[in-house]
Amino acid sequence: MNKKIVRISALFVLISTCALAQKKGIVLPVADELKEVVISDSKFALPKEKSGKVIVKITADDLRKRPGQSVAAVLSTVAGVEVNGNQSRNGKDLGLFIRGGRGHQVLILIDGVPVTDASGISLSYDLRLLSADQVESIEVMKGAASTLYGSGAATGVINITLKKAAKKAIAGNVYMNVGTQTTARDKDYSAQDYNQGFSFNGKSEKFNYFASLNSTETTGISEAKPALDTENFEADHFSRVNSIVKFGFTPNKKLALDFFASYDKIKNDFDSGSFADNADNFASSEQYRVGFSPKYKYTNGEIVLNASANVMDRALFNYGSFSYYKSRSVNADLFNKYSILPELFLVTGAQFQFHEMSNKSDYVDIRTELAHFNMIDPYVTAVYNSDFGFNFNAGARYTIHSMFGNNWVFNLNPSYAIPNTPVKLLASYSSAFIAPSLYQLYSSYGDLNLSPEKDKTLEAGFELELLNKKLNFTAIAFLRDEIDAIGFDLSTYKYYSLAGVNKARGFETMFSYQLTSKLKWSANYTFTEMEKQSRVLNPKHKVNSAIDFQATERLAFGATYQFVSDRYNEFSTYGPAPDFETIVNSEILKDYQLVNANIRYTVIKNRLNLFAAADNILNKDFVEARGFSTKGRNFKLGLNITL
């Protein structure tokens, strides 16, 4: 799809909509604010105060206060979450870590459906494929969650909900923003980051629809960082197109049928590694997803089916030759909620997953008939919510894996809101099962003798609500044991199972205070201590703080602060000819601090909004990943129009 057409179309609709808004001057009623609910720890809506898990809910309002930010940037401000690469040039590959875990230990859901790239190193989802402008809300649930979500949910689950149909028959949204893309050294403040898109949606008594298109283009920064100030590396380009269509049919109050189809494509230049420029390398990824989700409500419960399929095509041009990757994944998760008593319900279900991949290059030929596996998982979870403050969530899952046999996982999660006090106690003990990815098994770096990783996580803490719920404070400590943790040997360039028990431990604190009706302050601190295989690029200490001030009905300001401590890093180099012996080196990446700010202005209430944002205001030159560029002071301007 031609990205210029997308930009021109967005601009045309933007101008037309603006004119319409000025003419009508309509002020839409604001929906009553609903009581906050979460779904991640039971798969069904549950009041947050009844949940015994540590779940961070990033609402639509929270996202509106972070205009111009990527999904990775938003996630990196959550306690216990680190997204390495998010401070580098737009398009840099990302590493997602929760509580010191690695990428294959985090499961990402989109609208409740698992998303993955079966040809990827760790079966993980590439967050670069997703546009924040299409996201309605995000739930981050930390701790092992394999009981409900299966293999891969060892350190946490990120449940991303995309925008959906409004309550009107016809509605729409158009947005456009332009920004700079420069390092602290270069200070080139020309416009080099463009993001634009639009959506149309509507709802009637029985039908609803939603369609969205987004386009992003960025250049200006080299992925690799020059080792010397006198060197100049060429800028690396990144582009992305996102499109999604949703359709829903509700024939009666009991039955709802939802369908979706999406297409995402990214193309980006990349370099040859740390401090190594390359003007020829590029990569492209195309993702196709379709899904069907019927829901049926009956007297004491509800039955849901989440069925989806996705195909991923990737191509890399590196060192003068192409590598082609293709993967296919199928997911079908059928589950039922049955209320035995008003305070007790049971979730029973069974999930089927199938993954296959192929990889072809001048040096490798992995075919789909070889590289594939499937899983069938029956599971059960019981949720008890008493009227005296005690809640209990317990469950088990039995995984039947086509390559790794049968495995049990479990979850025990009590919590207690002490009556007549502002204190809620939390605890959980849960296990997880993580199968090696197809890449870790069948690639030239893989090993068919790898064992599945088995994790156990213990956590305990408390929540406080004071000053008529204006002040909230949460503290949680965790300990995770990893058995047969999957590591990568930098000497042999092979994946292997680490002998013994690998441990990760730490604690998190989260704080928010509504100082006045117009001023809110929030902050979090994470301490994480890990053994060798887990601590690469994970900071031991991390602090986030944010303040938001609604100065007037139309004008608002926001500012954030982030501190990331020293990080331990390992990398390999080669000795002199003729042996070129591999040498494993270690390095401490120094801590850094970032200050960001934005200003938001409503020109026409519920119609036209403008924003201006500045990131890394102090223009700090820091290291996120050794030998790669990071962003300096950058600016962004944007507008959003709602029909």
Side-chain angles (χ1 to χ4, degrees):
M1 185 177 296
N2 191 314
K3 293 180 285 297
K4 291 184 179 179
I5 294 176
V6 177
R7 184 183 299 173
I8 293 169
S9 301
L11 183 60
F12 175 78
V13 178
L14 195 67
I15 294 170
S16 303
T17 309
C18 187
L20 178 65
Q22 296 268 12
K23 182 179 179 180
K24 290 188 175 181
I26 299 173
V27 176
L28 300 179
V30 178
D32 293 333
E33 196 169 310
L34 299 176
K35 197 171 187 179
E36 186 173 5
V37 298
V38 294
I39 62 173
S40 298
D41 64 340
S42 67
K43 291 193 173 183
F44 291 93
L46 188 70
K48 192 173 181 180
E49 64 268 21
K50 296 290 186 180
S51 171
K53 297 290 284 186
V54 181
I55 300 178
V56 177
K57 181 73 174 283
I58 302 168
T59 65
D61 187 55
D62 295 328
L63 293 172
R64 279 192 291 270
K65 294 174 181 177
R66 300 284 301 275
Q69 297 286 314
S70 67
V71 173
V74 172
L75 287 173
S76 72
T77 64
V78 176
V81 178
E82 173 67 8
V83 187
N84 188 267
N86 125 80
Q87 302 293 350
S88 300
R89 64 102 182 171
N90 202 8
K92 173 77 167 63
D93 57 306
L94 302 172
L96 177 60
F97 315 116
I98 292 183
R99 290 182 172 178
R102 298 172 297 286
H104 66 276
Q105 297 171 315
V106 181
L107 180 67
I108 296 180
L109 311 173
I110 295 181
D111 289 334
V113 175
V115 286
T116 186
D117 175 9
S119 67
I121 292 175
S122 57
L123 275 177
S124 57
Y125 179 72
D126 188 348
L127 283 171
R128 295 176 300 172
L129 285 163
L130 190 60
S131 168
D133 296 289
Q134 294 179 326
V135 175
E136 176 70 20
S137 64
I138 304 173
E139 283 184 21
V140 181
M141 181 174 70
K142 286 164 282 188
S146 280
T147 300
L148 276 178
Y149 296 104
S151 176
T155 61
V157 173
I158 298 175
N159 191 0
I160 300 170
T161 300
L162 300 184
K163 292 179 179 178
K164 52 191 176 183
K167 294 183 179 181
K168 298 192 299 182
I170 300 177
N173 174 254
V174 186
Y175 55 88
M176 179 179 291
N177 54 69
V178 180
T180 63
Q181 184 82 173
T182 187
T183 66
R185 293 182 180 183
D186 292 341
K187 300 180 184 178
D188 177 4
Y189 295 121
S190 60
Q192 298 187 88
D193 182 19
Y194 301 89
N195 179 59
Q196 54 277 317
F198 52 88
S199 65
F200 293 98
N201 60 90
K203 192 173 186 179
S204 65
E205 183 180 353
K206 293 187 177 182
F207 295 92
N208 65 81
Y209 66 92
F210 179 89
S212 175
L213 180 64
N214 171 269
S215 172
T216 301
E217 299 167 75
T218 307
T219 189
I221 296 179
S222 168
E223 180 179 75
K225 181 179 182 178
L228 302 173
D229 291 342
T230 55
E231 293 182 284
N232 290 311
F233 287 177
E234 54 90 29
D236 291 309
H237 178 262
F238 170 78
S239 65
R240 178 182 61 212
V241 172
N242 302 99
S243 60
I244 185 168
V245 176
K246 294 183 178 182
F247 175 75
F249 174 53
T250 309
N252 53 55
K253 293 182 179 180
K254 292 184 177 182
L255 181 64
L257 305 172
D258 294 297
F259 308 83
F260 77 85
S262 70
Y263 170 76
D264 307 290
K265 181 179 181 179
I266 60 176
K267 184 176 181 181
N268 66 292
D269 302 332
F270 66 96
D271 289 324
S272 297
S274 301
F275 306 113
D277 193 21
N278 191 307
D280 299 321
N281 288 355
F282 69 90
S284 65
S285 298
E286 289 186 277
Q287 175 184 246
Y288 306 83
R289 293 197 309 126
V290 294
F292 172 53
S293 181
K295 302 176 182 68
Y296 178 74
K297 293 182 179 180
Y298 56 96
T299 303
N300 290 325
E302 183 178 0
I303 301 174
V304 178
L305 171 65
N306 282 335
S308 65
N310 78 280
V311 173
M312 181 77 77
D313 280 318
R314 292 191 293 125
L316 280 78
F317 184 80
N318 192 17
Y319 294 111
S321 65
F322 276 98
S323 294
Y324 299 97
Y325 297 83
K326 187 169 185 175
S327 67
R328 182 167 64 99
S329 297
V330 176
N331 173 83
D333 188 7
L334 178 65
F335 50 97
N336 173 64
K337 173 187 176 182
Y338 180 75
S339 295
I340 301 172
L341 299 169
E343 63 273 12
L344 175 66
F345 66 85
L346 200 66
V347 177
T348 55
Q351 183 176 12
F352 169 77
Q353 296 181 72
F354 171 80
H355 302 289
E356 69 176 13
M357 69 162 284
S358 64
N359 175 206
K360 188 172 181 60
S361 71
D362 292 342
Y363 313 101
V364 178
D365 187 6
I366 303 173
R367 300 179 182 178
T368 54
E369 56 264 28
L370 173 68
H372 61 83
F373 55 59
N374 64 71
M375 292 169 277
I376 301 175
D377 300 18
Y379 59 91
V380 59
T381 290
V383 179
Y384 173 70
N385 299 129
S386 73
D387 56 3
F388 55 88
F390 179 72
N391 306 298
F392 192 71
N393 183 315
R397 173 182 286 243
Y398 188 59
T399 298
I400 306 169
H401 198 287
S402 62
M403 288 189 66
F404 299 107
N406 305 333
N407 294 270
W408 281 101
V409 293
F410 64 88
N411 171 65
L412 301 171
N413 178 208
S415 64
Y416 182 49
I418 303 174
N420 303 316
T421 74
V423 181
K424 178 181 177 182
L425 304 177
L426 308 169
S428 73
Y429 182 57
S430 48
S431 63
F433 162 81
I434 308 100
S437 70
L438 293 168
Y439 186 91
Q440 291 167 337
L441 292 170
Y442 292 100
S443 75
S444 56
Y445 307 105
D447 185 351
L448 287 170
N449 295 315
L450 285 175
S451 300
E453 184 177 302
K454 298 178 181 179
D455 291 12
K456 291 183 179 179
T457 301
L458 174 66
E459 59 182 13
F462 64 89
E463 292 180 352
L464 286 175
E465 287 188 338
L466 302 170
L467 304 178
N468 197 25
K469 296 187 177 182
K470 291 182 179 179
L471 190 152
N472 295 273
F473 181 79
T474 300
I476 198 86
F478 64 89
L479 173 65
R480 185 176 71 256
D481 289 346
E482 303 174 349
I483 301 173
D484 292 327
I486 299 172
F488 186 74
D489 193 316
L490 288 173
S491 298
T492 63
Y493 291 95
K494 286 285 187 178
Y495 290 97
Y496 71 101
S497 295
L498 182 68
V501 178
N502 200 22
K503 293 182 180 291
R505 61 182 179 180
F507 65 86
E508 303 160 0
T509 61
M510 292 169 282
F511 165 88
S512 68
Y513 183 28
Q514 190 74 46
L515 287 87
T516 70
S517 60
K518 296 183 177 181
L519 183 62
K520 183 177 182 179
W521 175 36
S522 60
N524 61 65
Y525 165 72
T526 304
F527 168 81
T528 312
E529 189 171 57
M530 295 151 287
E531 294 186 351
K532 185 176 181 181
Q533 288 297 318
S534 296
R535 71 186 186 215
V536 176
L537 298 179
N538 276 274
K540 192 171 186 177
H541 306 278
K542 188 173 180 180
V543 176
N544 291 286
S545 182
I547 192 163
D548 198 81
F549 178 48
Q550 189 71 42
T552 69
E553 185 180 0
R554 295 178 181 271
L555 182 65
F557 301 91
T560 63
Y561 166 82
Q562 184 175 83
F563 168 78
V564 177
S565 72
D566 296 348
R567 287 137 293 140
Y568 174 86
N569 183 40
E570 289 185 346
F571 61 96
S572 61
T573 56
Y574 299 99
D579 297 330
F580 297 106
E581 179 185 4
T582 301
I583 303 170
V584 178
N585 308 272
S586 64
E587 181 183 25
I588 299 298
L589 305 180
K590 295 299 182 182
D591 63 81
Y592 63 88
Q593 303 177 64
L594 298 174
V595 177
N596 307 324
N598 69 69
I599 179 172
R600 310 180 301 276
Y601 185 72
T602 301
V603 180
I604 303 173
K605 190 175 181 180
N606 298 323
R607 287 291 187 179
L608 175 60
N609 297 286
L610 307 177
F611 80 86
D615 292 339
N616 192 3
I617 293 174
L618 302 179
N619 203 35
K620 294 290 185 180
D621 189 8
F622 61 98
V623 177
E624 185 182 32
R626 177 186 175 271
F628 292 93
S629 300
T630 51
K631 298 174 187 174
R633 183 189 297 118
N634 281 280
F635 303 95
K636 185 170 286 189
L637 300 172
L639 71 163
N640 186 301
I641 295 177
T642 303
L643 287 170

